[in-house]
Amino acid sequence: MNHPAFEVAAAADTIRTWLTEADRVLITAGAGLSAAAGYDYGDEDRFKELFPALYRLGLRSRYLVGVPLPPALLWGYWAVHINDIRFSPDPNPLYQRLRSLVGDKEHWVMTSNVDALFARGGFAPDRVFTPQGDYGRYQCATPCISSTWDSRPLITRLLAAYDPATGAVTDPSALPRCPNCGGEVEINVRIGPEFVDTPYLPAGRRLQHWLGTAPVDTRLLTLELGAGFNTPGVVRWPGEHLTRHFPHARLVRVNPSRPETPADLAGRTLPVPVGADDLLDALTLPHLTPDPTETP
């Protein structure tokens, strides 16, 4: 969907004003933000590049939850996918620009994303709440205990036994088992009731305290980026609830396809129907004023 540049510029001006006037900023984000940063799970070309064997089987996107793959193929997929999106060493420029935009304003992050791009982009890890989990950890599939383990050594071991031609982990001994019971394991992300949320509860409590102790007249700005209706209870609805709770709160909703905001919050919300990358371009990149003395 295309939108005139002046509309984006006008929205950027409003957001700058609201940021200046805000006492606190809550950044909330869904998959659309990471997609804008270059990690689009539905990007078929990128999928074909990373997973040629799975592409030949007819698969076209990284949304593979529930796809009945044999363990050697499943863990081959997880190894390549997580290594690409979670353990790349360089910070992402889009997230760095978002961090620069917030500056020294008191802020927190709540995101349904499990890629740790906020922490890698300069946001304080102890002020990022990820209730859906983290690709950086894995757990017992049962689970036998409420512990999780660092997935980086696991991914390294899997990649060493990975065959790109077949998409499979060729060494059965490299396939992961639970360090406690020896049973099957899964990546520590919220898929079903077996999800172990222990690592994320402390951050959730700190965020709840930060919000719960704020004076009722706090000018809270919720900046929501790329959150749709896959898990609206994680990002979209809490942002609306907070805007209702704080009479002076405002909500910016950045979403190219679902930017609508509730009618009862009219005047305190700003729907922005563009991608997060386009908005951050308008907010953070220098825009030169044309020289009237120059001829085209």
Side-chain angles (χ1 to χ4, degrees), residues 135-191:
Y135 282 150
R137 307 204 68 77
Y138 71 103
Q139 64 167 80
C140 177
T142 301
C144 62
I145 55 174
S146 59
S147 295
T148 64
W149 299 275
D150 182 1
S151 68
R152 187 186 292 268
L154 168 62
I155 298 303
T156 299
R157 186 171 73 250
L158 289 168
L159 289 174
Y162 175 73
D163 179 8
T166 64
V169 176
T170 58
D171 180 3
S173 68
L175 297 177
R177 310 297 296 183
C178 174
N180 183 63
C181 72
E184 295 183 356
V185 301
E186 57 190 31
I187 299 301
N188 182 222
V189 296
R190 191 185 298 274
I191 297 173

Side-chain angles (χ1 to χ4, degrees), residues 14-238:
T14 298
I15 293 169
R16 289 190 192 96
T17 299
W18 286 10
L19 273 169
T20 299
E21 294 174 349
D23 299 315
R24 299 183 179 190
V25 177
L26 175 64
I27 298 173
T28 62
L33 178 59
S34 288
Y39 294 101
D40 184 352
Y41 282 32
D43 185 337
E44 186 173 324
D45 291 337
R46 180 61 173 162
F47 183 87
K48 183 178 181 180
E49 177 186 351
L50 288 175
F51 311 102
L54 296 181
Y55 190 87
R56 290 193 298 271
L57 292 176
L59 300 175
R60 294 295 182 266
S61 84
R62 302 198 200 198
Y63 293 106
L64 295 185
V65 173
V67 176
L69 294 175
L73 280 178
L74 177 64
W75 285 106
Y77 161 76
W78 276 126
V80 174
H81 171 63
I82 292 175
N83 186 62
D84 174 61
I85 202 169
R86 174 65 174 82
F87 292 131
S88 56
D90 298 325
N92 185 275
L94 190 73
Y95 280 78
Q96 288 182 305
R97 285 161 56 196
L98 181 57
R99 176 65 189 91
S100 177
L101 176 68
V102 179
D104 58 1
K105 188 75 69 172
E106 187 178 349
H107 64 275
W108 257 87
V109 172
M110 180 171 66
T111 178
S112 60
N113 298 334
V114 295
D115 47 31
L117 282 168
F118 275 103
R120 288 185 282 155
F123 288 86
D126 63 349
R127 287 208 159 205
V128 179
F129 179 39
T130 61
Q132 300 297 87
D134 184 352
Y135 282 150
R137 307 204 68 77
Y138 71 103
Q139 64 167 80
C140 177
T142 301
C144 62
I145 55 174
S146 59
S147 295
T148 64
W149 299 275
D150 182 1
S151 68
R152 187 186 292 268
L154 168 62
I155 298 303
T156 299
R157 186 171 73 250
L158 289 168
L159 289 174
Y162 175 73
D163 179 8
T166 64
V169 176
T170 58
D171 180 3
S173 68
L175 297 177
R177 310 297 296 183
C178 174
N180 183 63
C181 72
E184 295 183 356
V185 301
E186 57 190 31
I187 299 301
N188 182 222
V189 296
R190 191 185 298 274
I191 297 173
E194 298 82 12
F195 173 63
V196 175
D197 61 0
T198 306
Y200 317 105
L201 296 179
R205 287 191 289 266
R206 291 194 302 272
L207 173 57
Q208 187 175 34
H209 178 78
W210 184 74
L211 292 168
T213 57
V216 70
D217 61 349
T218 295
R219 292 170 297 181
L220 175 70
L221 174 62
T222 298
L223 181 58
E224 179 192 296
L225 302 155
F229 283 92
N230 286 338
T231 54
V234 179
V235 173
R236 283 181 75 106
W237 295 341

Side-chain angles (χ1 to χ4, degrees), residues 33 94 97-98 101 275-285:
L33 178 59
L94 190 73
R97 285 161 56 196
L98 181 57
L101 176 68
D277 50 344
D278 292 330
L279 177 64
L280 284 168
D281 282 348
L283 282 167
T284 62
L285 294 182

